[in-house]
Amino acid sequence: MTAFPRTRNAALVGAVCSGLAAALVGCGGGEDPDAGTNGVGKLSAAKIESRARKAVDGAEAVRLSGSVVTKGRTYKLDMRLKKGGGIGHLSSKGSRFELLRVGNELYLKADADFWARQEGGSSTSDSAAASKLDDKFVKVPSSDPAYKQLSGFTDMDLLLDGLLGLHGKRATGDRGSVGGTRTIRITGGEGSGGSLDVSLEGTPYPLRLQRAGGAGVLELADWNEDFALKAPDKGHIVDYGRRITTGN
């Protein structure tokens, strides 16, 4: 059998590699990490962030779950939000309650223990008053200082705009997955400025946020999935008539 010269073998190998370059990475047979994706993994970190922001701006609904640290207080939340309102649960410093906002109307629902702490819980009358509020929706007056603080957790645009910012020089991080969806991570300040995991499938929505300075971790899911949002029945609404706080 006649052997091909070494130079001819090299030329043939090079031709094969060139022909497969569109589908393979090198000649090792490794799969293209961007095959079947939305292509944002090929972009710079700044452009990925821009695409994610654009996707958020065009979204109609989202679910946020995880923790947020603000003004030294940690809140755990699980909220479904859309244009015009939101519903979900929030907890902080041992207090857990449900929030519901429909338009400008904000309602809070909690158990008797929560309301007993509002009353002071120092007398039988306090306990009796708290029991009447147990598992009922209380309308939070717009003049109550708690209104602005709590309604912010039900405002999709305000909440996302305040949470999604990274700080420092942007860089592309590792590929991974969130909830079974492939993602690409972008970081700010080498990670100290937060990180954002952006979907590589379909619309490049942000799917996980790690806030700068350890200020919480949130997962963002159910993008554009609508849900029912309506005011409580009148029989389930009671008037509290006092200022509401959210901690002990």
Side-chain angles (χ1 to χ4, degrees):
M1 181 180 294
T2 303
F4 288 106
R6 182 172 299 176
T7 54
R8 187 171 182 182
N9 282 338
L12 287 172
V13 171
V16 171
C17 284
S18 297
L20 296 178
L24 303 176
V25 178
C27 281
E31 293 184 0
D32 180 357
D34 292 302
T37 73
N38 54 26
V40 298
K42 299 178 181 179
L43 304 178
S44 67
K47 287 185 177 180
I48 296 173
E49 183 179 23
S50 177
R51 293 283 183 90
R53 279 282 186 179
K54 184 177 180 180
V56 169
D57 290 342
E60 295 294 328
V62 68
R63 180 174 184 172
L64 271 70
S65 60
S67 62
V68 173
V69 181
T70 178
K71 297 182 179 179
R73 176 174 291 178
T74 299
Y75 293 90
K76 292 183 178 180
L77 66 154
D78 186 356
M79 301 293 302
R80 297 200 70 178
L81 309 171
K82 65 180 180 178
K83 309 293 184 181
I87 187 171
H89 292 90
L90 199 68
S91 62
S92 176
K93 292 187 175 181
S95 296
R96 186 177 186 274
F97 46 91
E98 180 178 339
L99 287 177
L100 167 65
R101 184 175 64 84
V102 182
N104 293 323
E105 306 297 329
L106 178 67
Y107 304 90
L108 186 153
K109 183 168 73 172
D111 61 17
D113 288 341
F114 174 89
W115 295 114
R117 286 193 290 270
Q118 301 293 311
E119 295 283 354
S122 57
S123 67
T124 301
S125 61
D126 289 341
S127 298
S131 66
K132 293 180 180 179
L133 299 173
D134 183 49
D135 205 32
K136 296 286 187 179
F137 280 102
V138 171
K139 186 176 179 180
V140 182
S142 59
S143 59
D144 192 310
Y147 181 92
K148 183 177 181 181
Q149 177 188 21
L150 294 175
S151 63
F153 287 105
T154 66
D155 190 319
M156 177 177 169
D157 292 335
L158 181 65
L159 192 58
L160 290 177
D161 187 59
L163 291 174
L164 291 179
L166 301 178
H167 304 283
K169 185 178 180 180
R170 286 9 177 213
T172 304
D174 296 331
R175 293 168 184 263
S177 67
V178 176
T181 300
R182 289 179 290 175
T183 58
I184 181 74
R185 176 169 295 181
I186 55 174
T187 62
E190 298 182 346
S192 63
S195 68
L196 200 61
D197 294 292
V198 178
S199 176
L200 286 171
E201 302 176 20
T203 305
Y205 289 118
L207 300 184
R208 179 187 288 131
L209 166 70
Q210 296 188 45
R211 301 184 70 204
V217 179
L218 287 167
E219 291 200 0
L220 304 92
D222 299 342
W223 286 100
N224 278 334
E225 292 188 15
D226 197 13
F227 58 94
L229 189 64
K230 65 176 183 177
D233 295 334
K234 290 184 178 180
H236 290 87
I237 302 175
V238 294
D239 179 23
Y240 180 56
R242 299 188 185 187
R243 287 187 172 183
I244 297 171
T245 61
T246 57
N248 293 323

